[in-house]
Amino acid sequence: MLDIKNMSKSYGSLAVLKDINLQVGPGDVVAIIGPSGSGKSTLLKCINFLEPYDQGEVRFNGELVGYVEKNGKRALAPERRVNTQRSQMGMVFQNFNLFPHMTILQNVIEGPTRVRGVGREEAIRDADTILNRVGLSDKREVKPTRLSGGQQQRAAIARALAMKPRLMLFDEPTSALDPELVGEVLAAMRQLADDGMTMVIVTHEMSFARDVANRVVFMEGGYIVEEGPPQQVFSSPSNARTREFLARVLN
């Protein structure tokens, strides 16, 4: 589903992603871990072209993301094509980015009705199903400011799911939450994994990565340093830097 080859990204003279290679198949749950500043969030933004990458390629369902190739040269893809690609990739950020003047139901149906052209009644039916899925059926007419942080993040997940994406991207979705609210968001994400949703998750929640992901990627200094099944990465990492990082965060 997702194939990243030799992808690099710089901000001026600062290289933040270096020769990234990563493949994600249907139903995979890939957890990306690593210290702050290692390029994890930038990688997610390059996947859905919120940030243009400089070299290499990102392909989603075989199609080059963000660029078109003609006569051996690459140019930026038309905005409409990029938006179509993005619509198939749900994105959940650290901060919930809900529209404060809208109810939760209105937030969830906004994308399907405006972007996908879904009729309002159908969008509401789908939204009710999704809100039930994330445990927010009783909050559909409430505005975001009246919800807890955990409820707002679950609403953000529902909003992303309403677009019926094939891939979900999570950028540290629990980092802005109080500790007692983290569990409810992780439970919603765990349910998505159980339902077969393909996910790439940047996270500091090591137990979640170990228990839910089928692959763990450790990044450091813009590189993918280590990648493998959770048991291998957490129990017997092959790279010394991975061992140092895990020893610090797991103790």
Side-chain angles (χ1 to χ4, degrees):
M1 181 179 292
L2 180 67
D3 189 7
I4 303 173
K5 292 182 179 178
N6 308 117
M7 190 262 281
S8 298
K9 166 70 178 176
S10 296
Y11 294 109
S13 61
L14 177 63
V16 291
L17 294 175
K18 307 168 188 175
D19 197 29
I20 298 294
N21 291 275
L22 181 67
Q23 288 75 44
V24 180
D28 279 351
V29 178
V30 178
I32 302 177
I33 64 173
S36 297
S38 58
K40 306 184 298 297
S41 294
T42 302
L43 174 56
L44 284 195
K45 292 174 183 176
C46 286
I47 289 173
N48 69 359
F49 215 65
L50 287 175
E51 290 284 357
Y53 49 95
D54 303 322
Q55 297 178 3
E57 61 182 38
V58 177
R59 290 190 179 272
F60 181 63
N61 295 320
E63 184 176 81
L64 186 65
V65 173
Y67 295 102
V68 290
E69 294 174 316
K70 292 182 180 179
N71 302 320
K73 294 185 179 180
R74 192 165 73 174
L76 287 173
E79 186 176 352
R80 183 173 180 178
R81 175 173 167 172
V82 175
N83 287 338
T84 298
Q85 292 173 330
R86 283 196 192 118
S87 71
Q88 300 177 63
M89 307 182 212
M91 182 86 171
V92 178
F93 299 89
Q94 299 176 32
N95 297 314
F96 324 119
N97 295 336
L98 297 167
F99 296 115
H101 63 288
M102 293 183 178
T103 66
I104 296 306
L105 178 64
Q106 290 169 333
N107 268 276
V108 173
I109 68 173
E110 181 76 1
T113 55
R114 287 187 176 269
V115 179
R116 293 180 54 234
V118 176
R120 182 176 173 83
E121 289 186 4
E122 180 183 347
I124 290 173
R125 286 196 301 270
D126 289 344
D128 282 337
T129 298
I130 294 167
L131 288 171
N132 182 63
R133 191 176 175 187
V134 299
L136 289 176
S137 293
D138 60 335
K139 304 296 183 184
R140 71 196 293 273
E141 301 300 335
V142 176
K143 291 184 177 179
T145 52
R146 297 184 61 190
L147 299 183
S148 70
Q151 289 170 330
Q152 289 188 60
Q153 191 62 291
R154 283 186 283 147
I157 293 172
R159 183 181 58 183
L161 291 174
M163 292 294 289
K164 298 186 177 179
R166 301 187 64 184
L167 170 68
M168 285 286 286
L169 307 172
F170 292 88
D171 186 9
E172 298 185 17
T174 60
S175 65
L177 301 178
D178 293 332
E180 66 269 21
L181 302 176
V182 168
E184 64 188 70
V185 174
L186 295 182
M189 294 170 62
R190 184 186 296 265
Q191 184 61 56
L192 291 182
D194 291 343
D195 291 343
M197 175 61 74
T198 307
M199 301 193 286
V200 179
I201 306 164
V202 171
T203 183
H204 292 297
E205 301 293 336
M206 296 299 134
S207 60
F208 179 82
R210 181 168 45 203
D211 295 342
V212 178
N214 66 313
R215 273 197 357 268
V216 174
V217 171
F218 174 70
M219 291 187 67
E220 161 97 337
Y223 291 99
I224 290 179
V225 174
E226 185 156 358
E227 176 183 355
Q231 185 171 358
Q232 179 259 308
V233 172
F234 282 101
S235 300
S236 54
S238 59
N239 186 277
R241 186 64 191 95
T242 313
R243 290 195 293 272
E244 292 171 7
F245 174 79
L246 291 174
R248 187 170 70 249
V249 299
L250 294 177
N251 290 335

